[in-house]
Amino acid sequence: MASSSTDSKTHSNSIQYEGFDGNDENVLKKHVTFFDRNMDGVIYPWETFQGFRAIGCGIFLSSFASIFINAGLSGKTRPGKFPNLLFPIEIRNIQKAKHGSDSGVYDTEGRFVPSKFEEIFSKHARKNANALTSDELSGMLKANRVPKDFGGWIGSLAEWKILYILCKDKNGLLQKDTIRAVYDGSLFEMMAAEKASSKKKAGVKAANC
């Protein structure tokens, strides 16, 4: 699977938190809005599938993600409602689907917590102050585990490992700027734009052959 084009150079320790104002809207909503393909406030499994395909994931991973994510989050975002076998995720309630054993970068209201974001690197980044290796990422996941929170363990493992597979640079590092971008959802837009651009260039090249 192709890696992200994120630069592997050393980034500044100073990260600007534009869009992460503590009084801003639920930032967790921004994180998931990319997958609301028709922008109606509800994400269905086929939209999750389309979103993953748009950022360059294969059919198998996109299918797995659409089932795993929607089946796991739908009920939590629809409190008091009967189960829906179409597994819709209501974005307005996405903070209710926040699982345990996570980094704490989103608070219970879905807001971004800068100090928790910085802790990811101050506690776990050893080889590069502004990036995580695969082993460091695994160490972070283990450190974040809440006893007997098996659902949280699985959720965190799936999220971070998929992110690492998709976005590690050529040196096998998951860069700080990349992780920051995934929290506000802007990474998905960038990846989709890169995929669309690559596809367009390939089409032009084929047409000129």
Side-chain angles (χ1 to χ4, degrees):
M1 191 172 294
S3 298
S4 168
S5 61
T6 302
D7 201 310
S8 61
K9 65 182 181 181
T10 300
H11 295 274
S12 167
N13 281 318
S14 177
I15 297 292
Q16 299 300 314
Y17 296 107
E18 295 177 4
F20 286 139
D21 185 341
N23 296 317
D24 196 6
E25 67 174 289
N26 181 324
V27 178
L28 186 52
K29 290 180 182 178
K30 295 181 180 179
H31 171 74
V32 302
T33 294
F34 171 79
F35 296 93
D36 183 12
R37 308 304 285 176
N38 62 0
M39 302 303 290
D40 66 351
V42 180
I43 304 173
Y44 287 94
W46 51 88
E47 292 181 285
T48 304
F49 176 86
Q50 292 166 3
F52 271 86
R53 291 290 286 157
I55 62 176
C57 295
I59 293 177
F60 176 79
L61 179 55
S62 299
S63 299
F64 170 78
S66 65
I67 296 171
F68 179 80
I69 293 173
N70 283 75
L73 303 187
S74 178
K76 297 177 182 178
T77 66
R78 304 176 69 252
K81 297 182 179 180
F82 287 108
N84 187 327
L85 293 181
L86 294 179
F87 300 115
I89 296 172
E90 295 188 4
I91 294 178
R92 63 180 178 176
N93 295 322
I94 192 63
Q95 72 277 4
K96 297 182 183 299
K98 183 176 177 294
H99 59 72
S101 300
D102 64 357
S103 63
V105 175
Y106 294 125
D107 68 11
T108 56
E109 297 300 319
R111 294 170 299 202
F112 182 82
V113 183
S115 62
K116 288 294 185 180
F117 178 76
E118 294 296 337
E119 279 185 9
I120 291 175
F121 304 92
S122 64
K123 289 185 176 181
H124 306 289
R126 295 291 178 263
K127 293 187 177 180
N128 186 310
N130 296 298
L132 296 176
T133 65
S134 178
D135 287 343
E136 290 167 349
L137 178 58
S138 295
M140 181 190 73
L141 293 174
K142 185 176 181 179
N144 288 342
R145 288 178 182 173
V146 174
K148 299 183 180 180
D149 177 29
F150 302 115
W153 297 3
I154 294 171
S156 290
L157 178 66
E159 292 167 356
W160 281 98
K161 289 299 184 180
I162 289 175
L163 177 62
Y164 181 82
I165 290 170
L166 290 176
C167 299
K168 64 183 178 182
D169 64 18
K170 62 183 180 181
N171 296 315
L173 297 173
L174 188 58
Q175 294 286 345
K176 187 174 188 177
D177 286 350
T178 300
I179 297 173
R180 176 198 180 280
V182 80
Y183 276 111
D184 69 0
S186 61
L187 178 67
F188 305 133
E189 298 288 351
M190 290 187 288
M191 293 176 70
E194 287 181 7
K195 175 78 183 317
S197 178
S198 297
K199 188 175 181 180
K200 183 177 180 181
K201 289 178 180 177
V204 171
K205 184 176 180 180
N208 291 332
C209 289

